[in-house]
Amino acid sequence: EFFRHHPAYAEVAANCGTEALGWTVSRILGDHIAELLPALQDKLVARKNDAARELASLGDGRPDDPAGQAAMVLEKLHGYAASFTKAVCGKNEDLNTTALEGGARIHYVLQDIFVKGLESLDPTRAMSEEDIRTAIQNSAGTKAVLLLPEEPFEMLVKQAIKKMSDPCQKCARLVHDELARIARQLIGATDMQRYPRLAQSVEDATRDFLAEGLAPAETMIASLVDCQLAHINTNHPEFVGGSKALRLAQAEVGKRRGIGPGQENDDSFEDAEGKVASRSPGARRALGDASAKTNASSNSKKEPSKSELLYSHEDGVVTLREPPGKLQASEPSTDEEMLQVFVTRILLGSYYSISRGILTDTVPKAVMHFLVNSIARGLQQHLIQSLYHPNVVSSLLTEHPETEAKRVAAKAKFSALSAAAATVATMPSELAGAGAA
């Protein structure tokens, strides 16, 4: 009444009094709330989205009905098998640019480790001329070696082929280990870790599946090596052959003696079968006699000669001595002996390279068929047959108690944030209606 009737407040009388003060304060508060609402709403939406992502990462949990549980297990098994196939085939969505993974590692094992490792193996490099001479004489037994024998060649080449058996078997085991490595990585990278029993069961079933593929792969590889040992095919088109090996050996003997490629070698001749025999004992000239005598004279002061260890002369009588426990053939001293060694070495190297080429081609194929390609053919079916049973499906989906507690808390948080966001979304219209009133 004072402001309304006082002449000094006549112009602002409408804005004075408790009623006007309450309306003004309400309008200022409403404007302030309206100004803060967009930022508050953005914060609520962001926290709601975070809660939704957290809830999605925890999954929906185990369904209550058995049909839903069975469908969930099938979905997990199908996704795991599909991811395994993609990893082997190199079709992962997240392509790694820093290191080889998946099928690229398997290819590295097959080509860079196995093939190159086997190609680096040369059995003739580790064989000395004395070793080959020993094999030649052992194959002849009590008979003298007159011509170039075939028995030491076959014996030595079979020994060389047997040495490839372990690397071939190792190749299959390395690929098996790489597949097991992929299996562990996939289980750790997927949401299957939320179900410890399911993850462990899938890992065990995958291990059994890979073991079932490793056994026939090793058997097949052993058979491939046995096939190479069963028959030495000297008619192979890539085999150097006896006549060519003989020419190469004669050229090498000529180099040792200093004879040119167009000169004759009087110490030996070719018979009708292409074999070399000495013309006569008296016609044989020792290869490097001069150097042998020089070496013998230079070493005579250091150690006794081989003949002195086997017999001695006393008063014009030869005294024979017992041979040592371990005997080895002497180094080739005549052209014929040298020729035998060179021909055997050439034939051995030629045929070994053929068998090695066959194994470097067929062993990776066997590994791919029995181990790698079987993933796409039968892994999913094996997992279903091993794990999809009505009496175990429910137990496979058992979670950690901590995971269930996190899911309950995440659901409550998401519900609260959703309700808050809905309330804030209706406030602008309510404030507008209150201001108009």
Side-chain angles (χ1 to χ4, degrees):
E1 293 296 331
F2 173 78
F3 293 106
R4 186 180 303 171
H5 296 92
H6 197 284
Y9 298 96
E11 296 181 359
V12 295
N15 296 327
C16 296
T18 56
E19 181 179 358
L21 179 62
W23 184 86
T24 302
V25 171
S26 297
R27 180 177 56 80
I28 294 174
L29 180 60
D31 292 343
H32 181 67
I33 292 174
E35 183 179 353
L36 295 178
L37 276 180
L40 179 61
Q41 190 171 9
D42 292 341
K43 289 182 179 179
L44 286 174
V45 171
R47 294 187 62 181
K48 177 184 174 182
N49 293 336
D50 292 340
R53 284 191 292 269
E54 180 183 1
L55 188 59
S57 65
L58 295 172
D60 297 332
R62 181 176 60 183
D64 296 331
D65 60 307
Q69 295 174 0
M72 187 174 185
V73 170
L74 281 177
E75 180 183 359
K76 299 292 184 184
L77 297 181
H78 173 73
Y80 172 79
S83 299
F84 207 136
T85 303
K86 289 181 179 179
V88 171
C89 297
K91 296 181 180 180
N92 284 334
E93 296 179 358
D94 299 330
L95 188 63
N96 192 343
T97 58
T98 59
L100 296 179
E101 63 179 8
R105 290 180 62 91
I106 295 175
H107 180 270
Y108 187 88
V109 169
L110 294 176
Q111 299 300 322
D112 291 67
I113 296 180
F114 170 68
V115 173
K116 292 183 179 179
L118 210 60
E119 289 177 348
S120 67
L121 182 62
D122 184 5
T124 62
R125 187 180 306 169
M127 290 183 183
S128 65
E129 295 177 355
E130 187 179 17
D131 296 334
I132 297 178
R133 281 278 299 154
T134 301
I136 293 174
Q137 292 189 6
N138 283 336
S139 65
T142 59
K143 297 178 294 184
V145 182
L146 298 179
L147 302 176
L148 296 179
E150 296 182 1
E151 289 79 3
F153 158 68
E154 292 192 2
M155 179 183 67
L156 291 174
V157 80
K158 286 183 178 180
Q159 290 179 357
I161 292 173
K162 287 179 181 179
K163 293 180 180 180
M164 292 190 286
S165 178
D166 288 341
C168 292
Q169 297 287 353
K170 182 67 173 179
C171 174
R173 290 191 290 270
L174 288 176
V175 173
H176 170 271
D177 294 342
E178 287 298 327
L179 291 173
R181 171 193 176 99
I182 295 174
R184 292 191 298 270
Q185 290 177 342
L186 288 176
I187 291 176
T190 59
D191 60 350
M192 202 177 295
Q193 286 288 0
R194 294 203 308 265
Y195 311 100
R197 293 185 180 179
L198 178 61
Q200 187 62 45
S201 298
V202 169
E203 185 175 353
D204 294 341
T206 304
R207 187 185 304 112
D208 295 340
F209 178 79
L210 295 177
E212 292 177 1
L214 178 62
E218 291 179 332
T219 303
M220 183 64 183
I221 290 172
S223 298
L224 291 174
V225 177
D226 291 341
C227 287
Q228 295 301 312
L229 295 171
H231 176 58
I232 305 302
N233 181 20
T234 56
N235 293 323
H236 194 281
E238 296 181 7
F239 185 58
V240 65
S243 58
K244 184 176 181 180
L246 188 59
R247 289 195 299 271
L248 294 173
Q250 287 175 331
E252 188 64 27
V253 171
K255 290 180 182 178
R256 292 277 184 105
R257 294 186 55 199
I259 299 176
Q263 298 178 359
E264 291 290 336
N265 186 349
D266 296 333
D267 293 346
S268 59
F269 65 94
E270 287 189 29
D271 61 4
E273 296 178 358
K275 298 180 178 179
V276 173
S278 176
R279 294 186 182 275
S280 65
R284 286 193 230 155
R285 290 195 291 269
L287 176 64
D289 278 343
S291 61
K293 292 178 181 179
T294 302
N295 293 334
S297 61
S298 62
N299 295 331
S300 61
K301 298 180 181 180
K302 298 180 181 179
E303 57 183 9
S305 64
K306 185 176 180 181
S307 62
E308 292 177 355
L309 296 175
L310 301 178
Y311 55 86
S312 62
H313 295 84
E314 295 180 1
D315 299 330
V317 178
V318 176
T319 301
L320 303 182
R321 299 177 182 177
E322 294 183 1
K326 182 179 180 181
L327 282 175
Q328 286 184 316
S330 59
E331 294 184 358
S333 57
T334 65
D335 288 357
E336 181 181 348
E337 292 174 352
M338 186 66 71
L339 198 63
Q340 292 170 354
V341 171
F342 284 155
V343 170
T344 303
R345 187 185 292 274
I346 292 171
L347 295 177
L348 175 61
S350 176
Y351 195 85
Y352 177 80
S353 64
I354 294 172
S355 295
R356 181 178 57 192
I358 293 174
L359 290 178
T360 54
D361 177 64
T362 55
V363 169
K365 290 178 179 178
V367 172
M368 289 295 296
H369 175 70
F370 289 103
L371 277 172
V372 181
N373 294 342
S374 64
I375 299 297
R377 290 196 308 265
L379 177 59
Q380 180 175 339
Q381 183 179 0
H382 176 78
L383 293 175
I384 293 174
Q385 291 177 350
S386 303
L387 304 179
Y388 187 67
H389 300 291
N391 55 340
V392 299
V393 166
S394 179
S395 61
L396 291 176
L397 296 178
T398 302
E399 295 181 288
H400 285 296
E402 182 180 353
T403 303
E404 295 182 3
K406 287 182 179 180
R407 184 182 295 106
V408 172
K411 285 183 178 180
K413 181 180 179 180
F414 180 76
S415 299
L417 290 172
S418 298
T423 301
V424 170
T426 61
M427 289 184 67
S429 60
E430 293 178 359
L431 289 174

